[in-house]
Amino acid sequence: RHNSEIKTPGSCRGLLLVFLKLSHSLAGPLPSPNGTQCTAKGPASYILVFTGHWSPQAFPKQYPLFRPPAQWSKLVAVSHNRHFHLWEEGRLASEGVQNFAEIGVTVDIMKGAKEARKRRAVGAMYRTAGIPNGIGHSSTELLVLPRTPLLSLMVKVIPSPDWFVGVDSLNLCDGSQWKEEVTFDLQPYDAGTDSGFTFSSPNFPTSPPENITRITSQMPNHPANSFYYPRLNDLPPIASIKLTRQRRLPNRQTVMSNHILPNSIIPQRFSATPLDCEVSMWSSWGLCLGPCSKGGVRHRTRYILLPPANAGDPCPELEEQAECVPHSCLKRP
C-alpha cells in the first residue's frame, strides 16, 4: 500500500508543470494572437458622434430626393472582443445583418449580440436615433471595458438595396492605455443579399448570397450603379465617426445620451463630385424627307439619361441628320 502512494520522479515533474501553468494563468491574461489584449486598469467612457456627409454635391448621381429622400437609419454599435464580429468584409452576412442592411430592422442583429454577451464575447450594445437627412449628426455615450475593447457599428443607407456604412473591430485600447480620440471616414458596403444597382431599386434577392464587399467608385463597374464615378480614384467620405474619451465615467443612475445633434455643432466637409452627362443610345434612322436623289435628309435622336453636375462633361448633340439612302425614301404622291 505504501509503495503505491509513492510518486515517481516523472509524475512529480508533471505535477510541477501543471502547477506552473496554473500559476501563470492566474498571474495575468495571456496576450491574444492579434494584439487586441487590453491591460488598462479600468473602463473608458467615450462620446461617439456619427456624421452623414451624403450630399447632392458629393454624390450627385441619382441622389434620392423623395420616396424616401436620402437619410440614415439608427446606428447599431457593439463593444466586444476578438471572438465576435458584428459584420466582416469578405464574409457572408448573418440573418441579422441582412435584415438590417435591407430594411433597417435591428431585432435579429441585437439578438445575436445578446447571445454573444452570454459567452462574454460582447460587452455592451448601443443604438442612436436615425437621421432624417443625408447630412446630419447623431451621438451616444459608450462605456467600454478592458475585456471587450473592440467597437463595431453599422448604419443603413436609406434608400438602398442592402448598402450600409460601418466599422469592424475598431480597437479603442492601445496596450495599457485607452485611446483619447479616434476619427474614421466611412465608405459604403454591399451586404451581398440584394442585387439592386440604384438607391431606389426594387427588391431583387441575390441567390445564392455573396460576401460583404466594399463599394468603390469603380466597383460594381456597371454604369447604372449609383456609386459608379469612373473619373474618381476614390469615393468621397459618405459619413464619418468621431470618438472622444470622457474623463468622467457615466453615472449608472442616469440614462446615457442618445440624440440627434444640430448641423451647426460640427463643421461639414463639402466636396463637389463632377458628374458627366449620360445619354441614351441613338434611335433608329427615320424615313427620308425630301427627294432621294439630292437634298433629302433623315434624322435620328437620343435623350438625356443623367444631366451633368458640378462641372462634369456637358451633354452631346441629341439629334443627328444624314443624307438619304435609296431604301429609306418616302415616296410622295
Side-chain angles (χ1 to χ4, degrees), residues 73-78 86 95-114 125-130 154-156:
S73 76
K74 296 176 181 178
L75 178 146
V76 175
V78 177
L86 185 67
E95 183 179 356
V97 167
Q98 176 180 353
N99 290 337
F100 182 70
E102 290 188 10
I103 55 178
V105 173
T106 63
V107 174
D108 292 328
I109 200 170
M110 298 305 277
K111 180 180 178 182
K114 288 177 181 177
M125 297 163 286
Y126 304 91
R127 279 180 285 197
T128 72
M154 294 179 68
V155 187
K156 174 176 170 53

Side-chain angles (χ1 to χ4, degrees), residues 80-86 111-123 147-148:
H80 58 93
N81 60 26
R82 63 187 179 87
H83 299 294
F84 175 83
H85 280 277
L86 185 67
K111 180 180 178 182
K114 288 177 181 177
E115 290 297 321
R117 189 164 60 181
K118 295 176 182 177
R119 307 190 305 269
R120 298 176 65 83
V122 163
R147 64 180 174 82
T148 51

Side-chain angles (χ1 to χ4, degrees), residues 156-173:
K156 174 176 170 53
V157 177
I158 301 175
S160 75
D162 60 342
W163 302 340
F164 67 94
V165 297
V167 172
D168 172 31
S169 303
L170 175 64
N171 194 355
L172 297 176
C173 185

Side-chain angles (χ1 to χ4, degrees), residues 5-20:
E5 293 178 351
I6 297 175
K7 305 295 182 184
T8 64
S11 65
C12 289
R13 281 196 299 271
L15 288 172
L16 181 60
L17 286 173
V18 171
F19 176 76
L20 289 173

Side-chain angles (χ1 to χ4, degrees), residues 34-36 38 46-49 77-82 84-87 142 144-145 148-153 166-174 178-179 181-186 240-244:
N34 62 353
T36 59
C38 180
Y46 286 90
I47 293 294
L48 165 64
V49 177
V78 177
S79 66
H80 58 93
N81 60 26
R82 63 187 179 87
F84 175 83
H85 280 277
L86 185 67
W87 65 276
L142 311 175
V144 188
L145 303 176
T148 51
L150 306 181
L151 179 70
S152 293
L153 60 88
V167 172
D168 172 31
S169 303
L170 175 64
N171 194 355
L172 297 176
C173 185
D174 188 5
W178 291 108
K179 295 177 180 177
E181 184 176 289
V182 179
T183 58
F184 206 96
D185 286 335
L186 303 177
S240 62
I241 60 167
K242 182 176 182 180
L243 290 136
T244 307

Side-chain angles (χ1 to χ4, degrees), residues 190-205:
D190 187 319
T193 60
D194 193 295
S195 297
F197 271 124
T198 65
F199 293 119
S200 301
S201 292
N203 186 37
F204 183 36

